[in-house]
């Protein structure tokens, strides 16, 4: 089963992706992971991507598409995959269609987690992360037992610089602008599955599972 996972920052994609991977035994592929793998393996495309990453520049589309294609052709993707963070644009979606065609395969489902903007703001600005072990908390939804101290390792918790209200708002605006056309693209192909991401985590998981098994 080949799945594309979509949803704005703070929609809970990470948590739900983990559930899908465990239930359907397919790899979770983000562009970041694909880049890191290609760079660590020092593939020709990985080395090209590294030049841009090292300069803090966006990796061009042709390199990104090439790295995603290489990743999807690996053995662990034979029974399907969960793509997260790709495609981001119509041109990338069209390139993915070509990749699938060349592999004699297709995208089966595009899952979109929809969440109200105000709730996303509350979720993202309340996030706190442990400096030592990277554990994630939330001041409202998942607070630590002691304020600003990690339950797991007693490390100090901090707020990421891009989790301020202004920066979160900018990220949400950018996502909305860039992603709306993609949702329409997949809706026309009858692949889009809308999931209410405002429900309890378990309810969201059950709805996604039901759609995928449908």
């Amino acid at each position: 089963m080949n799945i594309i996972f979509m949803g704005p920052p703070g929609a809970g994609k990470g948590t739900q992706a983990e559930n899908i991977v465990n239930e359907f035994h397919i790899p979770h592929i983000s562009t970041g992971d694909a880049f890191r793998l290609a760079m660590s393996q020092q593939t020709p495309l990985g080395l090209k991507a590294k030049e841009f990453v090292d300069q803090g520049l966006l990796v061009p589309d042709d390199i990104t598409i090439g790295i995603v294609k290489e990743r999807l052709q690996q053995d662990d993707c034979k029974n399907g995959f969960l793509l997260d963070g790709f495609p981001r644009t119509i041109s990338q979606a069209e390139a993915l269609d070509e990749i699938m065609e060349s592999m004699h395969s297709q995208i089966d489902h595009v899952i979109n987690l929809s969440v109200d903007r105000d709730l996303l703001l509350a979720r993202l600005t309340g996030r706190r992360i442990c400096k030592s072990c990277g554990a994630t908390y939330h001041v409202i939804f998942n607070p630590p037992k002691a304020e600003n101290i990690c339950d797991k390792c007693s490390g100090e918790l901090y707020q990421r610089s891009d989790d301020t209200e202004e920066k979160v708002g900018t990220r949400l605006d950018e996502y909305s602008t860039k992603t709306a056309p993609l949702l329409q693209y997949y809706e026309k192909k009858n692949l889009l599955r809308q999931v209410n991401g405002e429900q309890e985590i378990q309810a969201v998981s059950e709805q996604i599972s039901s759609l995928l098994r449908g």
Side-chain angles (χ1 to χ4, degrees), residues 107-111 186-193:
I107 296 299
D108 299 302
H109 301 280
V110 178
I111 301 284
Y186 285 117
E187 192 161 26
K188 284 176 184 170
K189 288 175 170 284
N190 200 31
L191 293 173
L192 187 65
R193 322 284 181 240

Side-chain angles (χ1 to χ4, degrees), residues 10-12 113-120 123 141 195-201 203-204 207:
L113 287 181
S114 56
V115 181
D116 177 76
R117 182 188 171 89
D118 288 343
L119 181 56
L120 290 171
R123 283 182 180 180
F141 306 115
V195 174
N196 177 5
E198 297 180 15
Q199 306 170 88
E200 292 293 324
I201 290 172
V204 175
Q207 189 179 345

Side-chain angles (χ1 to χ4, degrees), residues 125-155:
T125 55
R127 181 164 55 181
R128 299 293 183 271
I129 299 166
C130 176
K131 284 182 179 176
S132 302
C133 73
T136 304
Y137 298 87
H138 195 283
V139 294
I140 301 168
F141 306 115
N142 179 33
K145 289 170 185 167
E147 192 174 352
N148 288 328
I149 296 174
C150 177
D151 295 348
K152 294 178 182 175
C153 73
S154 299

Side-chain angles (χ1 to χ4, degrees), residues 36-111:
R36 282 186 285 276
L37 183 65
M39 288 189 285
S40 69
Q41 292 177 342
Q42 296 191 328
T43 67
L45 284 171
L47 293 173
K48 279 185 187 176
K50 191 174 188 302
E51 291 175 19
F52 290 90
V53 171
D54 287 349
Q55 294 177 70
L57 300 172
L58 277 176
V59 179
D61 252 14
D62 59 333
I63 297 174
T64 300
I65 290 161
I67 285 175
V68 169
K69 182 176 183 177
E70 284 180 348
R71 181 66 186 89
L72 297 182
Q73 289 173 331
Q74 295 193 6
D75 282 350
D76 63 339
C77 294
K78 279 182 179 172
N79 296 321
F81 53 79
L82 175 65
L83 258 183
D84 178 5
F86 184 93
R88 290 183 186 271
T89 61
I90 297 293
S91 58
Q92 286 184 353
E94 290 169 344
L96 180 59
D97 288 342
E98 289 174 14
I99 292 169
M100 291 286 92
E101 202 172 319
S102 72
M103 293 169 62
H104 307 292
S105 188
Q106 63 186 26
I107 296 299
D108 299 302
H109 301 280
V110 178
I111 301 284

